[in-house]
Amino acid sequence: MKRLLYFLIAAAATTSFSCAQTRTTQTGTAKNFKDTKTLIRKMFGHAGGKNLELVDVEPTNKTVTLRAYKLKFKDKTGSRYIYGYVWMTDNGKEMALKVYKFDSETKGGMPLASVIEPAKREEMIKTDLSWFKKILNELNKNNIPHVVGNGTKTVYIVWDVYCPFCYENFSKVAQSLKKGIKLVFVPLPVHGQRSIKGFVYYTYLARKEGAQKAMGHIFMRGKGNFLKFNQSLAEEVNKNYNKIPENERKELEKFYANLRAELLKKGINATPTIIYIPPGEKNKGYVHRGFIPFDKLFKLK
């Protein structure tokens, strides 16, 4: 029989559900679920700071003394909902931000516990991407090679030359070309000036030999070891950077700095970020932080 372990915590922060500013409060007494939900809204309405907005509180399952309230936050960039639990007694006097369950026991008899979380932690929202179409036009206007393949299905990938997760998933992405998928790579220099220089060098290569060969030239090194890849690419960029004509370098440096600012302003701040616009849609689509299997994307309508 599973047992529950309760932790009352003053603050908690995770990658997708952050309550770092919440304190243990003098809550008073809640007479019913409605009062408790109102109390939770007051406590967690600011939990996401500038990024998240609390849009729903739903009472769900209950332990012996605590009830789980599922919190639904909307990413203010409009791209997703984020779900998490807060646990509270019905009178509103005691609260836990995390409740753990015992999953199993080790050979030494020590219990292994994991946080009880909603089955669905995130949900993508179809959102207006007309601003994204303008960025694609800017890439074309400034002669930034960024399209690989000519398939009937299109996936947009926001990437960085020094992104370990882009490097890790490059082979999966490359294999998709055999399945009739067109890949559109949108640069985001998340590592500042270092990444800007890397993208300037990528553009220099791509203008001579095309986006696909330039991508392969960058990522097909290191034999799966990101540290070796990272060092190899940095050495090549530093060695050859001044070979790029000065006017071309300066124009591209300015372009990538402006592109970075524009993407960050729109809430695109991680690589890879996968963007998908379903067939029949002109400007509406989905934004997913991190890599996602493309067959899962294509099920979205």
Side-chain angles (χ1 to χ4, degrees):
M1 180 176 179
K2 292 185 176 179
R3 293 178 294 162
L4 297 177
L5 180 64
Y6 302 77
F7 288 88
L8 273 73
I9 309 171
T14 65
T15 56
S16 61
F17 177 54
S18 174
C19 304
Q21 301 300 316
T22 302
R23 296 180 178 180
T24 303
T25 62
Q26 296 179 350
T27 59
T29 301
K31 296 180 180 179
N32 51 46
F33 287 157
K34 184 177 180 180
D35 291 344
T36 306
K37 289 172 66 174
T38 301
L39 176 63
I40 291 172
R41 286 184 180 276
K42 289 181 179 180
M43 295 172 63
F44 290 88
H46 68 289
K50 296 180 179 180
N51 299 321
L52 302 177
E53 174 189 0
L54 180 64
V55 295
D56 191 34
V57 178
E58 176 189 353
T60 61
N61 49 304
K62 185 179 181 181
T63 70
V64 177
T65 57
L66 296 176
R67 181 179 299 278
Y69 290 84
K70 185 165 72 171
L71 308 187
K72 181 179 181 180
F73 290 91
K74 183 178 181 181
D75 189 326
K76 290 185 179 179
T77 63
S79 62
R80 59 179 176 163
Y81 291 120
I82 298 173
Y83 299 91
Y85 281 147
V86 60
W87 301 76
M88 188 170 289
T89 55
D90 288 341
N91 63 11
K93 288 187 175 182
E94 296 176 291
M95 177 189 72
L97 299 183
K98 292 184 181 181
V99 169
Y100 293 76
K101 64 179 178 180
F102 289 116
D103 296 315
S104 60
E105 291 188 1
T106 65
K107 291 182 179 179
M110 294 297 293
L112 298 177
S114 62
V115 178
I116 300 177
E117 297 176 323
K120 179 170 63 175
R121 297 294 309 280
E122 291 190 16
E123 177 185 0
M124 286 185 286
I125 308 170
K126 189 184 289 186
T127 185
D128 178 50
L129 293 172
S130 54
W131 62 268
F132 184 69
K133 292 289 189 70
K134 293 179 181 178
I135 285 178
L136 298 177
N137 289 335
E138 286 299 310
L139 292 174
N140 289 324
K141 182 179 177 181
N142 287 273
N143 187 25
I144 309 295
H146 61 286
V147 179
V148 177
N150 55 2
T152 56
K153 298 178 180 179
T154 302
V155 176
Y156 303 91
I157 303 174
V158 181
W159 69 295
D160 184 272
V161 286
Y162 290 110
C163 167
F165 306 108
C166 300
Y167 177 70
E168 179 182 324
N169 290 288
F170 178 74
S171 60
K172 296 177 185 177
V173 171
Q175 286 295 319
S176 68
L177 293 172
K178 300 178 181 179
K179 301 178 181 179
I181 297 174
K182 180 168 72 173
L183 303 174
V184 180
F185 292 92
V186 178
L188 172 59
V190 293
H191 298 290
Q193 193 60 35
R194 184 169 185 263
S195 291
I196 288 176
K197 288 182 64 176
F199 273 122
V200 170
Y201 183 66
Y202 157 80
T203 306
Y204 174 69
L205 295 176
R207 284 175 174 174
K208 293 193 298 182
E209 54 192 34
Q212 185 167 352
K213 287 186 177 180
M215 293 285 292
H217 181 84
I218 285 177
F219 283 116
M220 297 300 291
R221 65 181 75 208
K223 296 181 179 180
N225 186 312
F226 175 74
L227 294 179
K228 290 182 179 179
F229 156 82
N230 188 57
Q231 181 179 354
S232 173
L233 179 59
E235 288 176 352
E236 182 174 329
V237 170
N238 291 333
K239 179 180 178 181
N240 295 296
Y241 199 69
N242 287 333
K243 295 179 181 179
I244 305 171
E246 183 178 3
N247 288 342
E248 185 176 359
R249 285 203 318 266
K250 289 183 176 180
E251 287 178 1
L252 287 172
E253 286 170 356
K254 181 179 179 180
F255 171 80
Y256 280 117
N258 291 337
L259 179 61
R260 179 177 186 270
E262 187 64 25
L263 286 168
L264 292 179
K265 185 171 66 176
K266 294 298 183 179
I268 308 298
N269 54 16
T271 56
T273 290
I274 308 299
I275 295 176
Y276 177 61
I277 300 175
E281 288 285 358
K282 183 179 180 181
N283 291 321
K284 289 188 175 182
Y286 300 91
V287 178
H288 186 275
R289 289 167 174 79
F291 184 77
I292 181 174
F294 295 163
D295 56 353
K296 186 175 181 180
L297 274 183
F298 298 146
K299 293 178 181 178
L300 298 171
K301 303 298 182 183

